[in-house]
């Protein structure tokens, strides 16, 4: 037997202080299911190597064949489980340390099957990796030992155990499995399937199964021809013949390339094919040479006969093709099939980005009120049938069928303050929202030099309409506390398809000349929500002109509404250096001493993009109320999660803090966005060290207290009120709901905070995880501070779902992606991922980052030189 290696202790983070007591106690449900009985056996871990290498679905078929053939003999009668890649776990030891099996897989899902060849053979090497004694996991769950590699492997084994059976039966993506039951159509060739997510999670004194609903898009199964009609966005197959405008067959080919399908003309067992391309010619014009049939020398002496696809199918299959004018599917080097005979196989996931209409359909499908989501989770339990799962029985594991009931608290809301001249200037928000009516912002700015640029013609947006909107905007801004002496800004019309950079430079000059002053703000009225125009406006305004910009939709100018104009005013005020709201004195005692509140994030290019870099952002508070922020960004190597240049970025913000406050911060509270659990150790190791180095660079011996808190949003934890009267109007838990018991880490300092009132569907709480803490926060102190900060988001009159510093950092990182010169944005591209060829990112000078950037969305005030002479170089 292999000797057991000593347990390796992993990085330890901040241990949990005593649970918080602040707030109103409320019992709620959460989508966790208690593991009533953990396996009380030794689990045996084996490493699996399949040769040749194949995708996970094929690996699972091979594994199924292996266990069927060898369970009674070589596998000692056990029912092992498999993760689809490398890891197998068995409740019994096998009578070998290493063995190689030869598996013949008779399946239609192997790559490029050829009926002329025998079924493919695979070599499966099974090698003992370790044995897992769950006693070490028990000690960890009860807080008697630290997390070790053995514990992680044990948790992985339980994770694989609960997911093995559904993974063998259903389409699987990551930790979720999907079924076509209850599917709905999306725009185009897609359906949305409901899925169910499962994950084994350690909790206080026990293991839990976190279960949630999910959804993803699949290609619609059935006729490939119907799929093509949907992709081409035409009504019927007859429309595919049109010549004006011509059908874009290259686009269709790109959309269906790689799809697996079967054919309807074969009587014998169905075989699957894969779309490689579409033919350049129609079926009636697609010719090929037919090998003669016969035996012996007579067949060899016959010449090849040229025929077309229509004639071939009539002669050999007695099939008259209904649409000989359509191209054919090329499914291999010598395989060409009529598109009308092809049928798409069910369960093929759509991997590309959804367009705007599909996204709207997806949101409708997934936005479920809490009670509906809870019922859907229970439906998933019926599919999983934990009680009847043979693999769970074999390992001796039992899972409860009831959602866990946990203790939560609803934290008290703080006092929010506006300008003293406001009606009800100081108030406590109810249900996470408030109204701006009869209120003036805390610090209103003066807007003297500004202009309006309309991207469209006067026919699209008449001048009287624009003037009426501008008047309403000025009235709303004045009522809200801004001062606008220039009530007649220049209005300029430009072509949205022209040279945007030249248009903006000219607008900047005209705006400045109108009042003999450098422009403070340009307001852009856009014809639609398309990304390309918006992205170019932001690139030029941020990196070329250094002027604040505010984009509006043209439709909102037709009948200007005061509520809309007031919301725009909030954005304009902070972009110009104002403060919209703050909290009452002594609401946040932690900020009584000079404190720098930081937010950091890294935005990555879209999956599969190996040409664009990642964008790192860091924002920092610039006042004692944590209401104003400055920002700095860097370009770094793609998919690097740590902020590579954090030291220099922090130095910039520390200096800006000193310039604004006159003192160095004695405390630094760093909310870090976008870090997964597997990256905690690296972020802790590098980023805390870089922050300390930044402080030393600023002044030798300068050592402020540092606290690093990771904020996670991409998780599957949800909370549900037990009684209707304990929830909000939609049925979510109340804003301020905090959970720091039962479904959190066994020993480390983390908590869930649902700080916002959801507008649609089931609200997702933010997960806060403390990695480093010089200040020694109590649970109440950090939870209360984080909740109160959520009332200070500048762009709306609501609490937000996670702390504004992290929120702002996320927005800045996404916004900086627009600063690339030469990008070719598409209308379906989000601000966080590019679509086009690699491009050059402009360098934004540090001095430009300290103007109006404390309000995040503009990277510099007006530039003291002629704009035509100013352009940042790559």
């Amino acid at each position: 037997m292999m000797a057991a290696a000593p347990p390796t202790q992993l990085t330890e983070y901040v241990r949990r202080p005593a649970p918080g007591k602040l707030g109103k106690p409320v019992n709620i449900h959460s989508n966790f299911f208690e593991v009533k009985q953990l396996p009380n056996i030794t689990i045996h871990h084996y490493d699996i190597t399949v040769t040749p290498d194949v995708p996970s679905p094929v690996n699972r078929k091979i594994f199924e064949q292996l266990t069927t053939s060898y369970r009674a003999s070589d596998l000692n009668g056990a029912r092992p489980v498999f993760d689809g890649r490398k890891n197998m776990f068995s409740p019994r030891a096998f009578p070998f340390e290493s063995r190689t099996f030869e598996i013949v897989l008779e399946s239609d899902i192997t790559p490029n099957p050829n009926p002329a060849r025998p079924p493919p053979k695979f070599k499966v090497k099974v090698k003992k990796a370790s044995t897992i004694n769950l006693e070490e996991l028990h000690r960890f769950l009860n807080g008697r030992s630290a997390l070790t590699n053995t514990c992680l492997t044990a948790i992985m084994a339980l994770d694989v155990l609960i997911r093995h059976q559904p993974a063998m039966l259903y389409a699987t993506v990551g930790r979720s499995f999907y079924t076509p039951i209850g599917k709905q159509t999306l725009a185009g060739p897609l359906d949305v399937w409901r899925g169910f997510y499962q994950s084994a999670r350690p909790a206080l004194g026990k293991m839990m199964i976190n279960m949630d609903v999910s959804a993803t898009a699949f290609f619609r199964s059935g006729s490939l021809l119907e799929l093509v009609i949907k992709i081409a966005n035409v009504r019927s197959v007859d429309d595919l013949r049109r010549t004006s405008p011509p059908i874009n067959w290259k686009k269709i080919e790109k959309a269906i390339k790689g799809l697996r399908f079967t054919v309807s003309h074969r009587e014998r067992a169905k075989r699957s094919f894969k779309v490689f391309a579409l033919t350049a010619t129609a079926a009636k014009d697609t010719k090929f040479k037919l090998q003669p049939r016969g035996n012996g020398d007579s067949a060899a002496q016959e010449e090849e006969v040229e025929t077309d696809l229509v004639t071939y199918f009539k002669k050999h299959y007695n099939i008259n093709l209904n649409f000989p004018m359509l191209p054919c599917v090329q499914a291999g080097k010598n395989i060409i099939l009529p598109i009308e005979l092809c049928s798409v196989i069910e369960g093929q996931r759509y991997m590309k980005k959804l367009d705007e209409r599909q996204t709207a359909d997806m949101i409708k499908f997934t936005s479920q009120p809490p009670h509906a989501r809870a019922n859907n989770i229970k439906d998933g339990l019926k599919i999983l049938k934990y009680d009847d799962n043979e693999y769970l029985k074999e390992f001796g594991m039992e899972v409860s069928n009831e959602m866990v009931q946990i203790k939560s608290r609803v934290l008290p809301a703080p006092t929010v303050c506006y300008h003293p001249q406001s009606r009800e200037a100081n108030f406590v928000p109810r249900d996470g929202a408030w109204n701006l009516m009869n209120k003036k912002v805390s610090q209103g700015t003066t807007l003297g030099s500004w202009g309006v640029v309309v991207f469209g013609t006067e026919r699209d947006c008449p001048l009287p309409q624009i003037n009426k909107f501008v008047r309403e905007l000025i009235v709303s801004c004045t009522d809200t506390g801004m001062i606008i002496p220039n009530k007649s800004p220049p209005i300029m019309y430009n072509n949205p398809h022209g040279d945007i950079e030249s248009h903006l430079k000219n607008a900047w000059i005209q705006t400045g000349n109108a009042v003999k002053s450098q422009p403070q703000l340009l307001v852009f009225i856009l014809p639609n929500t398309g990304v390309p125009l918006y992205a170019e406006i932001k690139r030029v305004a941020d990196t070329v002109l250094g002027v604040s910009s505010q984009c509006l939709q043209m439709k909102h100018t037709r009948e200007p509404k005061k509520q809309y104009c007031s919301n725009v005013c909030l954005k304009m005020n902070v972009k110009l250096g104002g403060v919209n709201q703050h909290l009452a004195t002594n609401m946040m005692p932690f900020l009584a001493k000079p404190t720098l509140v930081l937010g950091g994030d890294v935005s990555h290019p879209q999956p599969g993009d190996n040409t664009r870099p990642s964008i790192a952002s860091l924002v920092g508070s610039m006042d004692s109320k944590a209401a104003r922020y400055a920002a700095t960004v860097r370009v770094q190597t793609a998919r690097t999660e740590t902020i590579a240049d954090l030291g220099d970025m922090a130095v910039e913000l520390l200096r800006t803090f000193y310039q604004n406050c006159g003192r160095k911060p004695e405390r630094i509270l760093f909310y870090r966005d976008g870090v997964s659990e597997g990256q905690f150790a690296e972020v802790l190791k590098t980023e805390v060290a870089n922050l300390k180095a930044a402080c030393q660079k600023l002044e030798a011996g300068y050592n402020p207290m540092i606290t690093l808190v990771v904020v996670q949003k991409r998780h599957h934890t949800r909370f549900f009120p037990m009684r209707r009267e304990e929830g909000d109007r939609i049925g979510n838990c109340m804003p301020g709901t905090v959970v720091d018991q039962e479904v959190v880490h066994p020993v480390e300092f983390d908590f869930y905070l649902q700080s916002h009132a959801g507008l649609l569907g089931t609200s997702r709480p933010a997960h806060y995880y403390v990695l480093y803490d010089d200040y020694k926060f109590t649970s109440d102190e950090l939870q209360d501070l984080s909740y109160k900060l959520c009332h200070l988001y500048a762009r709306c009159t609501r609490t937000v779902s996670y702390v504004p510093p992290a929120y702002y950092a996320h927005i800045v990182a996404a916004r900086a992606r627009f600063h690339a010169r030469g990008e070719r944005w598409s209308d379906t591209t989000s601000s966080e991922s590019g679509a086009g060829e690699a491009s050059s990112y402009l360098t934004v000078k540090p001095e430009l980052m300290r103007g109006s950037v404390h309000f995040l969305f503009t990277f510099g005030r007006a530039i003291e030189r002629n704009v035509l002479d100013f352009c940042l170089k790559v």
Side-chain angles (χ1 to χ4, degrees), residues 43-49 74-75 80-83 86-99 125-132:
I43 297 176
H44 302 270
H45 180 198
Y46 291 86
D47 183 76
I48 301 288
T49 304
D74 298 68
L75 303 186
V81 293
F82 179 49
D83 69 354
K86 294 284 292 181
N87 299 286
M88 177 169 71
F89 298 95
S90 172
R92 304 177 199 171
F94 300 153
F96 57 82
E97 290 294 317
S98 178
R99 184 167 298 178
K125 184 178 180 180
V126 180
K127 183 179 179 181
K128 185 69 173 284
S130 64
T131 56
I132 305 168

Side-chain angles (χ1 to χ4, degrees), residues 119-356:
K121 295 182 180 179
F122 297 90
K123 289 186 177 180
V124 182
K125 184 178 180 180
V126 180
K127 183 179 179 181
K128 185 69 173 284
S130 64
T131 56
I132 305 168
N133 188 335
L134 294 186
E135 179 57 33
E136 197 167 318
L137 176 61
H138 281 285
R139 290 199 303 271
F140 164 67
L141 295 175
N142 291 307
R144 298 199 305 269
S145 71
L147 181 67
T148 63
N149 277 324
T150 301
C151 293
L152 286 179
T153 307
I155 294 169
M156 178 174 68
L158 300 179
D159 217 31
V160 173
L161 174 57
I162 61 173
R163 288 190 283 119
H164 176 78
Q165 184 165 288
M168 300 296 286
L169 299 175
Y170 304 104
T172 303
V173 180
R175 295 175 182 267
S176 299
F177 67 92
Y178 295 86
T179 76
I181 301 171
K183 67 182 178 183
Q184 292 185 16
T185 59
L186 295 178
L190 307 179
D191 290 332
V192 55
W193 289 19
R194 177 165 286 121
F196 299 94
Y197 168 93
Q198 301 180 93
S199 177
R201 306 285 301 174
L204 289 169
K206 64 192 77 170
M207 285 295 297
M208 296 275 197
I209 305 301
N210 179 207
M211 186 173 177
D212 194 20
V213 293
S214 56
T216 196
F218 287 82
F219 280 100
R220 193 168 300 135
S221 59
S223 168
L224 179 59
L225 181 56
E226 289 297 324
L227 209 69
V228 168
I229 291 171
K230 291 293 184 181
I231 295 169
N233 196 24
V234 297
R235 293 186 177 183
S236 68
V237 69
D238 291 333
D239 293 329
L240 294 175
R241 306 180 186 184
R242 74 186 185 198
T243 57
S244 180
I247 298 298
N248 188 345
W249 287 104
K250 282 295 180 184
K251 175 186 173 183
I252 294 172
E253 178 185 270
K254 184 178 180 181
I256 66 173
K257 189 172 183 178
L259 270 183
R260 293 189 354 257
F261 64 94
T262 57
V263 290
S264 59
H265 64 281
R266 292 177 178 265
E267 295 180 358
R268 59 187 178 84
K270 292 285 181 74
R271 167 198 167 192
S272 72
F273 299 86
K274 184 183 288 187
V275 177
F276 280 85
L278 293 178
T279 58
T281 55
K284 60 185 177 62
D285 300 321
T286 301
K287 301 182 184 297
F288 56 95
K289 291 184 178 180
L290 190 64
Q291 294 288 343
R293 291 189 177 183
N295 296 312
D297 295 337
S298 61
Q301 292 172 2
E302 293 183 34
E303 295 183 358
E304 294 179 338
V305 178
E306 187 176 71
T307 186
D308 61 79
L309 210 67
V310 175
T311 304
Y312 175 83
F313 272 83
K314 175 61 178 174
K315 181 178 180 180
H316 288 81
Y317 299 101
N318 195 28
I319 294 176
N320 291 312
L321 296 184
N322 296 318
F323 308 106
M325 71 294 185
L326 297 181
C328 304
V329 175
Q330 190 168 336
K333 186 176 180 180
N334 297 312
I335 303 175
I336 299 175
L337 298 163
I339 198 168
E340 63 188 84
L341 301 181
C342 302
S343 184
V344 178
I345 295 173
E346 188 176 65
Q348 298 183 75
R349 187 185 175 205
Y350 181 74
M351 300 293 290
K352 298 176 184 176
K353 183 177 175 62
L354 300 179
D355 63 28
E356 188 174 345

Side-chain angles (χ1 to χ4, degrees), residues 467-640:
N467 283 325
K468 180 181 178 182
F469 174 78
V470 169
R471 285 195 299 270
E472 180 60 44
L473 181 62
I474 292 172
V475 169
S476 296
C477 288
T478 304
D479 291 345
T480 312
M482 289 182 65
I483 301 171
I484 305 184
N486 178 12
K487 302 217 170 14
S488 300
I491 298 172
M492 298 148 278
Y493 286 86
N494 283 304
N495 180 5
H497 305 293
D499 185 344
I500 305 302
E501 184 167 335
S502 295
H503 292 334
L504 266 62
K505 288 177 179 178
N506 291 332
W508 193 89
I509 292 173
Q510 291 182 48
T511 300
N513 289 341
V515 291
K516 309 301 181 190
S517 176
Q518 303 235 66
Q520 297 169 271
L521 175 74
L522 292 177
V523 175
F524 298 97
I525 297 176
L526 311 184
N528 52 48
T529 58
V531 174
L533 176 59
Y534 176 85
E536 183 65 0
I537 288 171
K538 293 302 183 182
R539 182 190 71 81
V540 176
D542 291 349
T543 68
V544 178
L545 304 180
V547 66
S548 297
S549 58
Q550 179 62 56
C551 293
L552 312 173
Q553 290 299 306
M554 192 176 291
K555 63 183 180 181
H556 295 300
T557 66
R558 297 187 180 109
E559 292 294 333
K561 293 181 172 58
K562 189 169 184 63
Q563 180 66 49
Y564 176 78
C565 291
S566 297
N567 290 339
V568 172
C569 171
L570 292 179
K571 295 184 178 183
M572 290 169 54
N573 188 53
V574 294
K575 290 177 182 182
L576 296 171
V579 175
N580 287 345
Q581 75 264 17
H582 64 275
L583 299 187
T585 307
N586 300 326
M587 278 287 107
M588 295 185 287
F590 177 71
L591 302 184
K593 292 186 178 181
T595 302
L596 175 61
V597 183
L598 295 175
D601 191 20
V602 180
S603 168
H604 301 295
Q606 63 185 359
D609 186 344
N610 298 317
T611 59
R612 288 172 185 77
S614 291
I615 307 290
S617 66
L618 190 70
V619 305
S621 59
M622 293 295 117
D623 62 9
S624 60
K625 300 173 181 177
R628 300 170 62 239
Y629 288 83
T632 181
V633 295
R634 293 290 190 278
V635 174
Q636 63 184 42
T637 305
R639 318 215 181 275
T640 303

Side-chain angles (χ1 to χ4, degrees), residues 698-845:
L698 207 64
E699 180 183 325
Y702 172 46
N703 296 301
M705 289 186 288
I706 296 173
T707 299
L708 172 60
V709 183
V710 168
V711 187
Q712 294 179 312
K713 309 177 298 295
R714 295 182 179 179
H715 59 78
H716 288 268
T717 298
R718 300 291 185 274
F719 300 135
F720 307 94
M722 293 185 65
R723 291 193 291 271
R724 184 71 181 88
E725 60 271 18
E726 293 177 342
D728 63 13
R729 60 184 182 84
I730 296 178
N732 283 300
C733 291
M734 296 297 293
T737 297
V738 65
V739 172
D740 60 1
Q741 299 183 62
E742 295 169 275
V743 295
V744 292
H745 193 278
V747 294
E748 292 167 0
F749 189 4
D750 70 321
F751 60 90
Y752 291 95
L753 173 61
Q754 189 168 305
S755 53
H756 65 300
L759 296 172
L760 190 68
T762 307
S763 295
R764 171 165 40 193
H767 186 204
Y768 295 83
Y769 211 115
V770 185
L771 301 189
Y772 185 86
D773 184 21
D774 285 333
Y775 182 73
K776 308 302 180 187
F777 273 103
T778 66
S779 294
D780 279 335
E781 285 174 334
L782 185 58
Q783 292 163 9
D784 185 52
L785 173 62
S786 299
Y787 178 49
K788 287 175 177 174
L789 284 172
C790 292
H791 291 73
L792 293 176
Y793 186 62
R795 300 171 71 180
C796 65
T797 55
R798 306 179 64 87
T799 55
V800 287
S801 57
Y802 60 110
V803 287
Y807 207 140
Y808 291 154
H810 177 79
I811 293 172
V812 170
R815 168 71 164 271
R817 199 163 288 283
F818 286 148
H819 294 166
R821 181 187 293 277
E823 279 281 10
R824 295 188 300 181
W825 301 97
S826 69
D827 283 331
T828 59
T829 304
S830 72
S831 63
E832 299 180 47
S833 58
E837 297 178 359
S839 47
S840 302
Y841 282 79
L842 294 178
T843 302
V844 182
K845 293 183 178 179

Side-chain angles (χ1 to χ4, degrees), residues 652-664:
E652 289 181 28
L653 295 180
L654 285 165
R655 286 174 175 161
T656 307
F657 182 93
Y658 182 80
Q659 291 166 2
N660 281 269
C661 301
R663 299 176 64 182
K664 297 189 297 293

